Amino acid sequence: MSPRTTDMAPWAAADPYTAALRTGTGPLFLRRSDGWLLPLDIERWCARADAVDRDVLDRCEGAVLDVGCGPGRLVAELAARGRTVLGIDVSATAVERTTSLGGPALLRSVFEALPGEGRWPTVLLMDGNVGIGGDPRALLARAAQLVCPGGTLIVETEPVDVDERAQVEVTDAPGRPPGRSFPWARLGAPALLRYAKRAGLRATAQWDAGGRRFVSLSTRNANRSADPPKSPAVISSQWPRNASAEWPVVRA
Ligand SMILES: C[S@@+](CC[C@H](N)C(=O)[O-])C[C@H]1O[C@@H](n2cnc3c(N)ncnc32)[C@H](O)[C@@H]1O
């Protein structure tokens, strides 16, 4: 098992997260070792895509890979629009919920082998998912590998200027005894832009909506002649040929 796989395991095994995904309700927090709490917006994640989400999705071109798709509201919305989309998540409950909404999803870490690497026109890191793995430099480098030349990575940042890495755990109550911690990161837009530059990504748009902040990044090479993911050349048994409720939960 790679270190990255170990890092993601606590999300997959976090009982409070699984329970919250099943009920669609919180409270749920990321808790730092010093006790600081970051509320997680589980109700919004488990609801349908809202106007802010739909605006983000309107900006997506071509096939979309939603990294850390959670319960799948974005994947489901894109699938309902008839778009080629794939969600990936390390939580089996998240993946099951996504597929139950008619959205294709794989039980897979972003750091493991993925279908269509280097051919995705749009990759999403939403809802704070730029924190995955606790190493933004590594995550953005990985995301840049997934996007096709000239493709787009849309990242939701913190609405404040922050560049933080910390050990956290998922908890449903501030007073619970410490559980299993894992590395996480929080980035505001300025920090994201610094890391993005090092990963060979340039900002093409920034916007605020509904109290949330987003940055659109592009790979530097605008050669878009590479096969898009839905090309037969890259269709594998795991490839979402279309938005289908039958798309299986695939274990890594
Ligand atoms: C902050 S939550 C965001 C939830 C989600 N965007 C939504 O719409 O509900 C982070 C998500 O990323 C997933 N995750 C954590 N580490 C991951 C990894 N290495 N690869 C893929 N997904 C991961 C978690 O299981 C969780 O669903």
Side-chain angles (χ1 to χ4, degrees), residues 8 11 17 45 68-71 73 89-90 109-110 127 129 132:
M8 58 96 175
W11 272 104
Y17 185 51
W45 298 348
C69 64
R73 73 189 193 284
D89 204 289
V90 294
S109 168
V110 64
D127 306 311
N129 284 355
I132 287 174

Side-chain angles (χ1 to χ4, degrees), residues 21-251:
L21 288 175
R22 291 205 170 114
T23 61
T25 58
L28 199 67
F29 309 91
L30 284 184
R31 181 172 61 187
R32 260 184 352 210
S33 45
D34 63 2
W36 184 85
L37 292 171
L38 176 70
L40 298 177
D41 213 347
I42 193 77
E43 284 89 357
R44 182 172 62 76
W45 298 348
C46 289
R48 295 184 61 164
D50 62 18
V52 176
D53 296 327
R54 291 195 302 273
D55 174 60
V56 171
L57 301 183
D58 289 345
R59 297 167 186 257
C60 296
E61 287 184 32
V64 180
L65 178 68
D66 184 6
V67 172
C69 64
R73 73 189 193 284
L74 304 177
V75 178
E77 171 68 21
L78 285 166
R81 293 183 186 190
R83 297 283 297 275
T84 299
V85 57
L86 177 66
I88 58 162
D89 204 289
V90 294
S91 158
T93 309
V95 169
E96 280 158 15
R97 201 170 157 140
T98 301
T99 56
S100 76
L101 295 176
L106 284 176
L107 183 59
R108 191 76 56 88
S109 168
V110 64
F111 296 108
E112 296 175 309
L114 292 171
E117 293 199 13
R119 293 188 169 93
W120 290 97
T122 304
V123 173
L124 296 176
L125 283 171
M126 297 280 283
D127 306 311
N129 284 355
V130 71
I132 287 174
D135 182 349
R137 193 176 302 190
L139 181 61
L140 290 173
R142 176 62 179 140
Q145 287 176 346
L146 299 173
V147 180
C148 72
T152 300
L153 170 65
I154 299 180
V155 181
E156 180 172 355
T157 69
E158 295 296 320
V160 293
D161 186 1
V162 62
D163 182 358
E164 175 189 287
R165 270 148 283 179
Q167 286 292 123
V168 299
E169 62 186 294
V170 180
T171 185
D172 57 3
R176 283 231 195 283
R180 190 170 165 198
S181 70
F182 55 93
W184 194 252
R186 292 170 64 235
L187 296 187
L192 172 71
L193 295 180
R194 287 195 295 275
Y195 290 113
K197 195 170 174 188
R198 289 182 207 146
L201 298 160
R202 67 183 168 83
T204 52
Q206 291 186 53
W207 69 99
D208 292 342
R212 299 164 64 191
R213 181 161 295 173
F214 304 90
V215 179
S216 183
L217 302 162
S218 175
T219 50
R220 288 183 189 279
N221 179 356
N223 170 15
R224 306 203 62 162
S225 62
D227 288 340
K230 54 184 170 186
S231 157
V234 294
I235 288 177
S236 72
S237 60
Q238 297 170 337
W239 190 255
R241 287 166 192 266
N242 51 39
S244 158
E246 285 76 53
W247 183 249
V249 174
V250 178
R251 289 171 197 281

